[in-house]
Amino acid sequence: MPDSDDFEERLRKARERQGAKPTSPGPGQLPQGGTWGIGFRAGVEVVSALIAGVGLGWLLDRWLGTWPWLFLLFFVFGGAAGVLNVYRLITPRRAGK
Amino acid sequence: MAAEGKTIDALGQFELTPVLGKLGASVGFTQSTAHMLLAVGAITALVMWGMARRAVVPGRLQSVAEASYEFIQGLCLNQIGDEGKKFFPFVFSLFMFVLFGNLIGLLPFAFTFTSHIVVTFALATIVFLLVTIVALSIHGTKFFGYFFPEGAPKALAPLIIPIELISYLSRPVSLSVRLFANMVAGHVMLKVFATFVVLMGSAGVLGFLGASLPLALNVVLIGFELLVAFLQAYVFAILTCIYLHDAVHLH
């Protein structure tokens, strides 16, 4: 599968295909498709990756008693994962390397 | 609630209050739970009632029931492939539940249960668990290859695996935050502008004229919110389908 990773891309494609049908005539791009929509989606991706990273690091720290080192490390990993998510969001149909 | 004490109370609408008197309070039965039951009842009524007659030329209710069925079926088949049939009941219930939650929340005096992160996160967790279990049961341990792309240098494994893992774990978070944030933002905006109407309207003739502006804006916003309500339910469903696709056809 060449495009298996960028689900956001397929989401956009599919929304273009289908989203227009059930709502109103204009293509289903109304609120989400604009620059604001992309910005919002990218923001959500970054924030959620950070939350996941920080949460995982914090849990590992609590388990292993290494506070705050894994927390700090996974904060950075979370940021990197957020960038990866955004990269997958905006690259047009190419698997993430 | 809106103009008591002449302040803008945009978040009060999300407060949970127990309903059904003492009994409700003792088991924590809030208006949120009540609205969930209402949504489930409405969906069941729509499908059961709509399909009761099974007319060749569908009536209004039957059309709605059939349209939603076909819409989600198309979604499943297009996104997941042939295996999508198996997941149709799940995606359909999920979509209808979120959609009805969003739509019922737009009615006056109603509560939007999708505006609580606990609810959306619980839904997203169900999706996440299902996707992971499906992937594990179909692919076994090959599933873990997902976290390390083929051909990447082995030396980078300690860097790539945590990042991919976090990226995977962030799916339920982004799924839930997206729905929750959209619903909260919409309802806060509606509330703020509605409060403007009340505050300005109580300030004499000039205020009355001024109040027509936020009122007009609210009319537009309600239309916009209807669209968002549908779109967010759709996004939730299609992302679920895409995750399921990834789980079924592991690359």
Side-chain angles (χ1 to χ4, degrees):
Chain A
M1 292 254 78
D3 57 347
S4 39
D5 245 36
D6 25 48
F7 52 84
E8 291 290 356
E9 170 62 19
R10 270 186 283 143
L11 166 67
R12 224 192 57 226
K13 283 270 165 58
R15 202 188 273 144
E16 273 168 15
R17 253 198 336 267
Q18 305 224 353
K21 193 169 53 174
T23 47
S24 51
Q29 290 296 310
L30 292 157
Q32 300 280 306
T35 38
W36 274 95
I38 294 174
F40 178 75
R41 248 153 50 199
V44 168
E45 291 295 340
V46 171
V47 169
S48 52
L50 266 178
I51 292 174
V54 165
L56 191 63
W58 185 75
L59 281 178
L60 283 176
D61 263 340
R62 227 172 65 142
W63 179 41
L64 300 169
T66 46
W67 174 262
W69 301 111
L70 285 178
F71 167 77
L72 293 174
L73 185 68
F74 274 79
F75 182 81
V76 177
F77 281 155
V83 174
L84 183 70
N85 281 350
V86 173
Y87 175 77
R88 280 178 184 160
L89 177 75
I90 58 172
T91 37
R93 65 171 46 247
R94 237 194 316 150
K97 218 168 181 203
Chain B
M1 206 181 342
E4 283 162 10
K6 300 278 183 202
T7 51
I8 297 178
D9 174 25
L11 295 177
Q13 58 178 327
F14 301 118
E15 246 164 59
L16 291 173
T17 43
V19 289
L20 293 183
K22 263 212 187 101
L23 183 71
S26 60
V27 292
F29 189 87
T30 60
Q31 88 272 47
S32 176
T33 332
H35 279 88
M36 282 182 216
L37 286 179
L38 180 68
V40 171
I43 296 162
T44 316
L46 170 69
V47 176
M48 302 289 276
W49 211 357
M51 298 316 289
R53 280 224 240 119
R54 295 201 197 90
V56 180
V57 180
R60 264 168 286 180
L61 265 183
Q62 193 182 339
S63 300
V64 174
E66 280 181 4
S68 39
Y69 183 98
E70 278 166 9
F71 177 58
I72 297 299
Q73 198 193 25
L75 192 72
C76 282
L77 289 180
N78 281 342
Q79 295 299 323
I80 312 178
D82 261 352
E83 297 90 337
K85 284 177 200 151
K86 273 186 255 172
F87 302 108
F88 169 77
F90 175 71
V91 179
F92 184 74
S93 339
L94 203 62
F95 173 76
M96 292 305 263
F97 188 62
V98 174
L99 178 66
F100 272 65
N102 293 349
L103 287 180
I104 287 174
L106 282 177
L107 299 175
F109 303 109
F111 180 81
T112 327
F113 58 77
T114 42
S115 67
H116 275 214
I117 187 98
V118 223
V119 176
T120 59
F121 192 69
L123 290 173
T125 309
I126 296 171
V127 172
F128 178 75
L129 287 180
L130 178 85
V131 166
T132 312
I133 290 168
V134 164
L136 273 174
S137 66
I138 294 181
H139 300 284
T141 48
K142 256 195 283 173
F143 164 69
F144 295 105
Y146 184 85
F147 299 115
F148 191 70
E150 285 166 53
K154 284 264 176 341
L156 284 179
L159 207 59
I160 289 174
I161 290 172
I163 289 174
E164 287 282 352
L165 188 70
I166 290 168
S167 178
Y168 187 72
L169 286 177
S170 74
R171 281 170 167 194
V173 181
S174 69
L175 198 57
S176 55
V177 166
R178 192 179 294 117
L179 176 59
F180 148 80
N182 269 290
M183 297 327 286
V184 168
H187 282 263
V188 165
M189 266 204 297
L190 282 176
K191 186 64 160 218
V192 167
F193 287 117
T195 316
F196 283 169
V197 175
V198 177
L199 290 181
M200 288 168 99
S202 60
V205 183
L206 212 63
F208 225 76
L209 284 174
S212 62
L213 282 173
L215 185 66
L217 197 63
N218 246 1
V219 172
V220 177
L221 268 181
I222 278 283
F224 182 72
E225 280 308 305
L226 273 173
L227 188 71
V228 168
F230 177 80
L231 209 67
Q232 286 308 315
Y234 177 59
V235 166
F236 205 91
I238 200 168
L239 277 174
T240 305
C241 284
I242 288 166
Y243 294 153
L244 279 169
H245 169 96
D246 281 356
V248 174
H249 311 274
L250 212 61
H251 45 285

